[in-house]
Amino acid sequence: MAKGSVRKKGKKWYYRYYVEDASGNLVQKECVGTESKSETEKLLRKAMEEYESKKIVAKTENITLGELLDVWVDEELKVSSLSNNTVTLYLGVVKIMKRHPLSKRKLRTVTSEHMQEYMDYLSFGGTAPNGTEAKPLSIDRIHSFSAVLQRAFRYAVFPKQYISFNPMQYVVIRRPTQEVDLFATEDEDFSQEKTITHQQYNEIVDYLTKKKSSSLLAVQIAYYAGLRIGEVTGLSWDDINLEEQYLTVRRSLSRNNARHKLELGPTKRKKVRIVDFGDTLAEILRKAKKEQHKQRFQYGQLYQRNYYKEVREKNRVYYELYSLDGTQEVPEDYTEISLVCVRQDGMYLGREALDWMCRSIRKHLKGFENFHFHSLRHTYTSNLLANGAPPKDVQELLGHSAVSTTMNIYAHATREAKKNSARLLDKVVGND
């Protein structure tokens, strides 16, 4: 049985135990625990039991790239300081890579040339292993694959010492050459970002109202407050101050495909932000709150209440979301959360419902072929900038990391905005 111990550093306890490396030597492995000594001791016992049962020790000459990825996931990724969303993203990337024949290759035989060919395959597309045609991935997606491979190979070099050289070290991400049609005769659509007019917004509201859609409130909040889809669905009534007319964005609701759970997690930038709103949204929210009280009374015991449950796995904390009606017993480790966007029976409104709503709008309303939920956030930003809102204020309302992001993406979202900017020169020379 592996030997282990716990020790306290600062406010937290850490646990450590000895494992064998690829050469058969004992090396110490230390992991962060909790602020409780007993809980940390439990984590230590569990880690040592898993190590003894799995014995994740592979001979250098036998381990494959796919097996390296498995070792890296269990020993490094799942106990890293990366956010839960990033871990979930990387787990999805590993799952895809293990389907490729390259994952079956012995690690010692993997070269930089192999990895360059694989990255080019992701960048340019080609024939997939199953014979189908693979399309090129987006640059952000490619960077995710590169990050996983860089981290896994570095881990293989040290501390695992499976190999002595990182084959990703000299690999570059190449992108297809952008071709420009110099002789096109048709007018170009200069509106790069998808926005909608206020008239179109009213069309959406009328359409959803007639369908008695539970998605209406989420659309209204996104249009008047610029929240992302996960931020809207994760919003609770405790986050809204109707008297002073502001809301606090502190969490996001998303599905963890690796764990097959619906979870509440941090926002995209992991920062809490305050979003002020006007009288229109304030009135919408007041009416919605009254309507939900009415529906709770009408459904009685069948009304769904939403709860989150804290789950700890491999030094990570997840907040799983569940719904129970009044006839079901509520477990002791469930904490109720009063979500703003819910169905008529009180159950949470997930991303799937809003995606379905957007597909319905694209199908049934003319002129909405390119509509997505994120279009509401684009529109919110464009409306603020077009009406003179300071870019720095818009950046903070949106939760962007830098004001340049706000301006680069949204400043010229509409053709009309470009025309108005161009006409400024006429005023300078007195030709207005």
Side-chain angles (χ1 to χ4, degrees):
M1 183 71 179
K3 294 182 179 180
S5 61
V6 298
R7 63 170 176 167
K8 191 173 185 180
K9 291 193 293 184
K11 292 184 178 180
K12 288 197 172 184
W13 286 83
Y14 289 71
Y15 61 93
R16 52 186 178 176
Y17 57 100
Y18 288 89
V19 298
E20 290 184 24
D21 62 14
S23 303
N25 300 317
L26 286 178
V27 294
Q28 191 179 82
K29 181 179 177 68
E30 185 173 66
C31 305
V32 64
T34 69
E35 294 184 7
S36 167
K37 182 179 180 181
S38 60
E39 288 182 4
T40 304
E41 288 174 336
K42 289 180 181 178
L43 291 174
L44 170 62
R45 288 194 294 271
K46 184 178 179 182
M48 290 193 298
E49 288 171 0
E50 288 182 354
Y51 170 71
E52 289 294 333
S53 63
K54 294 181 180 178
K55 282 291 185 182
I56 308 178
V57 181
K59 297 296 182 181
T60 305
E61 62 268 20
N62 294 328
I63 190 171
T64 65
L65 174 56
E67 289 169 339
L68 165 65
L69 292 172
D70 287 337
V71 173
W72 173 73
V73 164
D74 284 335
E75 297 186 1
E76 181 77 3
L77 178 62
K78 289 184 178 180
V79 296
S80 68
S81 60
L82 296 172
S83 70
N84 289 347
N85 288 342
T86 301
V87 171
T88 301
L89 172 64
Y90 286 177
L91 287 173
V93 168
V94 168
K95 186 176 181 180
I96 293 173
M97 284 196 287
K98 289 183 65 179
R99 297 184 193 137
H100 196 276
L102 183 62
S103 67
K104 305 295 191 299
R105 177 176 283 276
K106 295 292 179 63
L107 184 60
R108 292 181 65 184
T109 68
V110 175
T111 65
S112 294
E113 184 178 5
H114 291 132
M115 301 317 303
Q116 185 67 66
E117 288 177 357
Y118 181 68
M119 296 305 296
D120 287 346
Y121 163 74
L122 298 178
S123 295
F124 299 97
T127 304
N130 61 4
T132 61
E133 190 67 19
K135 295 182 179 180
L137 299 184
S138 67
I139 188 63
D140 288 340
R141 191 71 170 145
I142 293 172
H143 281 307
S144 298
F145 278 78
S146 178
V148 166
L149 289 166
Q150 290 280 9
R151 289 170 178 266
F153 280 124
R154 280 200 300 266
Y155 189 64
V157 174
F158 185 83
K160 299 308 288 184
Q161 298 181 10
Y162 290 154
I163 52 178
S164 59
F165 172 74
N166 179 354
M168 282 292 291
Q169 184 172 345
Y170 298 108
V171 172
V172 296
I173 297 176
R174 296 193 278 240
R175 300 292 293 158
T177 302
Q178 297 293 324
E179 296 184 0
V180 180
D181 190 348
L182 301 179
F183 305 100
T185 56
E186 297 180 359
D187 290 338
E188 295 288 340
D189 179 9
F190 289 96
S191 181
Q192 298 296 322
E193 305 298 342
K194 300 177 180 65
T195 60
I196 61 173
T197 65
H198 191 67
Q199 180 181 345
Q200 288 178 312
Y201 164 74
N202 287 331
E203 289 182 45
I204 293 174
V205 171
D206 291 343
Y207 174 73
L208 296 178
T209 300
K210 291 177 182 177
K211 291 178 66 67
K212 297 182 179 180
S213 172
S214 300
S215 301
L216 174 58
L217 181 58
V219 169
Q220 293 169 317
I221 294 174
Y223 183 79
Y224 285 109
L227 272 61
R228 301 178 178 93
I229 188 168
E231 295 170 346
V232 170
T233 52
L235 194 67
S236 77
W237 285 110
D238 290 336
D239 300 324
I240 297 177
N241 188 321
L242 286 171
E243 295 301 319
E244 298 185 34
Q245 296 186 186
Y246 70 86
L247 57 84
T248 306
V249 183
R250 45 177 105 246
R251 74 188 72 81
S252 180
L253 179 63
S254 62
R255 182 167 296 280
N256 188 327
N257 292 323
R259 300 182 69 247
H260 305 289
K261 298 289 185 179
L262 196 63
E263 298 172 352
L264 292 166
T267 61
K268 186 174 182 180
R269 300 297 173 193
K270 300 182 186 178
K271 291 184 179 179
V272 176
R273 71 181 191 274
I274 304 297
V275 179
D276 296 288
F277 55 82
D279 295 338
T280 304
L281 182 56
E283 184 60 25
I284 289 172
L285 291 170
R286 289 191 183 96
K287 289 182 178 179
K289 197 169 187 179
K290 289 180 181 178
E291 184 63 24
Q292 288 181 15
H293 281 299
K294 179 181 176 182
Q295 291 167 348
R296 182 181 292 233
F297 177 77
Q298 291 175 337
Y299 276 84
Q301 281 194 315
L302 296 180
Y303 192 79
Q304 300 277 336
R305 288 172 171 80
N306 300 296
Y307 303 86
Y308 66 86
K309 174 185 176 182
E310 181 180 315
V311 178
R312 290 182 177 270
E313 293 179 2
K314 287 188 177 292
N315 193 39
R316 295 197 167 276
V317 180
Y318 302 95
Y319 297 95
E320 300 172 355
L321 186 66
Y322 297 95
S323 286
L324 300 173
D325 64 36
T327 66
Q328 297 172 288
E329 184 177 350
V330 181
E332 291 184 0
D333 56 352
Y334 276 31
T335 303
E336 186 169 2
I337 180 170
S338 181
L339 295 175
V340 174
C341 296
V342 295
R343 302 188 319 191
Q344 290 184 358
D345 64 354
M347 186 176 182
Y348 58 78
L349 193 70
R351 182 186 185 119
E352 294 82 359
L354 296 180
D355 285 340
W356 185 91
M357 174 269 296
C358 291
R359 288 196 297 272
S360 180
I361 288 174
R362 290 195 295 269
K363 180 179 179 181
H364 294 99
L365 294 184
K366 187 177 180 180
F368 288 84
E369 292 77 11
N370 295 319
F371 176 77
H372 294 275
F373 194 86
H374 208 70
S375 304
L376 300 166
R377 180 171 161 88
H378 284 252
T379 302
Y380 168 80
T381 312
S382 298
N383 287 342
L384 289 179
L385 291 170
N387 286 280
K392 186 65 178 177
D393 290 349
V394 179
Q395 173 210 344
E396 293 177 357
L397 288 169
L398 290 166
H400 283 156
S401 59
V403 71
S404 59
T405 303
T406 307
M407 297 307 297
N408 288 341
I409 297 176
Y410 299 110
H412 300 292
T414 63
R415 179 66 173 145
E416 192 59 35
K418 291 181 180 180
K419 290 180 179 179
N420 291 336
S421 297
R423 291 183 182 126
L424 290 175
L425 188 59
D426 289 337
K427 296 181 179 181
V428 173
V429 297
N431 293 332
D432 55 345

